[in-house]
Amino acid sequence: MISRENPARIAEIVGHVPVTGPSGVDAAVRRADAERRDWSALPVSARADILRERGETLAARQEELATLLARESGKPLADCRGEIGFALAYLRWVCDHAPRVLASSEVDDEAGRLVVSREPYGVVGCVTPWNAPVILALLKLAPALVAGNTVVLKPSPLAPLAVGEVAAALPVVFAVHGGAETGRALAGHPLVRKVAFTGGDVAGREIAANAGAMLTPSVMELGGNDPAVFLPDFSLTTADYERLVMASFATSGQVCMAAKRLYVPRGRAAEFAEAYVAAAERVLVTGDPLTPGVSMGPVVSAAAADRIRALVVASADRGGTAVPLGRVAPGHDPDAGYFVTPVLVTDLDDAAPLVAEEQFGPAVPLLVYDTEEEVLARANAGELGLGASVWSPDEERAFALAGRLEAGFVFVNTHNRTGMSLRAPFGGVKRSGYGREYGEEGLLEYVQTKVVHAPAAFRPGGQGMAPGAYPGTG
């Protein structure tokens, strides 16, 4: 049995889920496989109507689900409301666009008759993380289901409760729970025809290896060490600075696409730091996630808290200066949970672990640069390439630099979720994964192309072709 504690009040158990062993995973996959033919036989529009109706049922439970999510994850309640609302908006987007995107096409002309259709894979295995469990699950469930697949979902044991409720409300979704053993059994099951994963590099490698052993295709959305590059002409308003602070510290910095490295021209670094710290004082309030006005809760676990504190200590040992950020909510007891003081760290070199590694927590380095070519090389350093951002009032200049950054998604004059769009495909390059979510590409990840072709030469009245001949050469 998995018992999930409240990371803001570690003495409080929020709920329990049973552990699913390999035999239970096998049973869930076989149930999904048994139902896939009936589900896929429905027209896309019919599947979309069913999912849209289930989404409205979930929308009526938004406050209940948001409170549960806040208690199990440590994310502020307002953030949890936003996540669930955004996830349901994505579900509606998928339902609205799927009939067009997934439609078959047919050509009947002098070259022959060609039908290209979009067919579901069958059973899709989804392994999802704890930091945004509802939206990161819906990014897989919604397109997979509307495309005609059935799904077996394994949420993270650190946040299994709210997403479990969402899964239970959707058709042909079967939830399994557990850790690495459960994930291995799911990704490597012979009846799973596609695997979708969001999470860290270590787990991603293992899931991909298990899927690859069965020649099962996969979608991998992995970590990032996102640079935010401020060009010398950057001009930020008060609201821009506040948005930038939250781009790094929303969900206590535990977001794959958070702004994790801030690159500022040397001559403007003091000005930037002063305005950034002032913005954090206004918008960054640490406390219990259920307390109104709190914008940053605890990190997810004791291990996460220890790791972040160790990174800050290591930074100080390398000559870095940690500037505490924001305020503490009145009456808040930081010892009640896994709370970590948010900090901006200055005076670090690029080899410092806080710079070179994905910190995934409430500590962000401020780095200075002298030339555009220099900052480009430094921003592109490392094996990760998920997101990045460029800030400048000159949009053409910003887009020109963005085109040279090694990242799958580059924001301009914003960063993190304020720069997302339901129509814009999201995913990484390099070691940040492959495949895409959101947009039409996110829908097409869950279908295979099927072709039926009658060449003109072999239709009634056709002239045929010589044995062994190549088409189009005569």
Side-chain angles (χ1 to χ4, degrees):
M1 186 69 68
I2 297 169
S3 297
R4 181 56 191 150
E5 65 187 0
N6 182 338
R9 310 174 200 158
I10 55 179
E12 174 187 308
I13 299 299
V14 182
H16 309 270
V17 293
V19 174
T20 311
S23 63
V25 172
D26 178 67
V29 172
R30 292 185 184 279
R31 286 181 62 198
D33 186 62
E35 297 199 20
R36 66 181 174 85
R37 289 179 179 83
D38 288 345
W39 178 247
S40 65
L42 295 173
V44 175
S45 57
R47 294 194 295 264
D49 288 344
I50 292 169
L51 291 171
R52 193 179 288 107
E53 180 182 350
R54 300 295 179 89
E56 294 310 310
T57 299
L58 287 167
R61 300 176 58 196
Q62 182 173 0
E63 190 65 18
E64 168 204 344
L65 294 171
T67 301
L68 180 60
L69 180 56
R71 293 176 62 217
E72 67 174 327
S73 70
K75 292 171 57 168
L77 180 57
D79 193 353
C80 294
R81 291 189 189 107
E83 177 182 335
I84 292 167
F86 185 59
L88 295 177
Y90 175 69
L91 177 62
R92 289 189 287 270
W93 188 94
V94 165
C95 292
D96 290 344
H97 289 79
R100 174 184 57 83
V101 175
L102 302 181
S104 298
S105 63
E106 182 171 351
V107 176
D108 193 341
D109 57 17
E110 66 278 2
R113 184 179 178 187
L114 174 66
V115 176
V116 179
S117 60
R118 309 291 190 180
E119 304 292 330
Y121 281 90
V123 179
V124 175
C126 300
V127 180
T128 56
W130 49 265
N131 58 330
V134 176
I135 180 57
L136 293 176
L138 261 294
L139 284 174
K140 300 159 183 60
L141 297 178
L145 293 172
V146 80
N149 303 281
T150 55
V151 179
V152 179
L153 170 70
K154 191 201 86 64
S156 167
L158 294 175
L161 304 175
V163 71
E165 292 290 318
V166 171
L170 297 175
V172 293
V173 177
F174 305 89
V176 296
H177 295 282
E181 182 183 41
T182 306
R184 282 193 296 268
L186 179 58
H189 197 287
L191 292 178
V192 169
R193 303 303 186 191
K194 181 99 184 212
V195 170
F197 173 82
T198 299
D201 173 72
V202 174
R205 288 172 186 268
E206 185 170 4
I207 292 293
N210 278 276
M214 301 301 297
L215 296 179
T216 304
S218 57
V219 178
M220 292 278 146
E221 200 269 270
L222 306 177
N225 192 13
D226 292 20
V229 179
F230 297 85
L231 292 177
D233 62 351
F234 77 85
S235 178
L236 303 187
T237 65
T238 297
D240 291 333
Y241 275 107
E242 292 175 355
R243 184 161 33 89
L244 176 61
V245 168
M246 295 313 298
S248 289
F249 293 100
T251 316
S252 302
Q254 301 168 121
V255 178
C256 59
M257 60 181 177
K260 298 189 176 80
R261 293 178 284 159
L262 310 179
Y263 289 97
V264 180
R266 188 179 302 276
R268 301 190 64 185
E271 162 202 345
F272 180 95
E274 180 180 2
Y276 189 94
V277 171
E281 183 70 17
R282 293 190 296 272
V283 301
L284 201 55
V285 182
T286 301
D288 188 287
L290 298 180
T291 300
V294 163
S295 58
M296 197 187 97
V299 295
V300 73
S301 67
D306 291 343
R307 181 180 55 79
I308 295 299
R309 292 186 185 114
L311 281 173
V312 175
V313 170
S315 298
D317 292 343
R318 297 181 72 98
T321 301
V323 181
L325 297 174
R327 295 172 284 129
V328 175
H332 171 59
D333 178 9
D335 295 327
Y338 304 126
F339 292 92
V340 177
T341 300
V343 293
L344 178 71
V345 183
T346 62
D347 306 316
L348 286 178
D349 61 274
D350 286 1
L354 189 67
V355 179
E357 302 171 6
E358 181 186 20
Q359 67 268 37
F360 214 70
V364 65
L366 174 61
L367 308 159
V368 298
Y369 71 91
D370 295 303
T371 70
E372 190 170 312
E373 291 301 317
E374 171 207 339
V375 74
L376 179 68
R378 292 168 64 190
N380 284 340
E383 288 297 301
L384 300 180
L386 186 60
S389 62
V390 181
W391 302 67
S392 169
D394 184 340
E395 190 170 279
E396 292 305 314
R397 185 179 183 184
F399 268 72
L401 182 64
R404 302 173 68 195
L405 287 169
E406 295 172 355
F409 197 112
V410 184
F411 307 95
V412 173
N413 292 323
T414 193
H415 201 121
N416 207 333
R417 65 185 181 220
T418 56
M420 300 297 291
S421 169
L422 297 177
R423 71 178 185 175
F426 181 86
V429 299
K430 301 196 289 190
R431 303 295 183 193
S432 287
Y434 47 84
R436 291 296 181 262
E437 297 183 320
Y438 294 103
E440 293 185 8
E441 286 86 347
L443 266 168
L444 294 172
E445 287 286 358
Y446 295 94
V447 289
Q448 304 174 90
T449 300
K450 180 178 180 178
V451 170
V452 180
H453 185 215
F458 305 106
R459 300 182 78 183
Q463 299 302 307
M465 292 175 64
Y470 284 91
T473 59

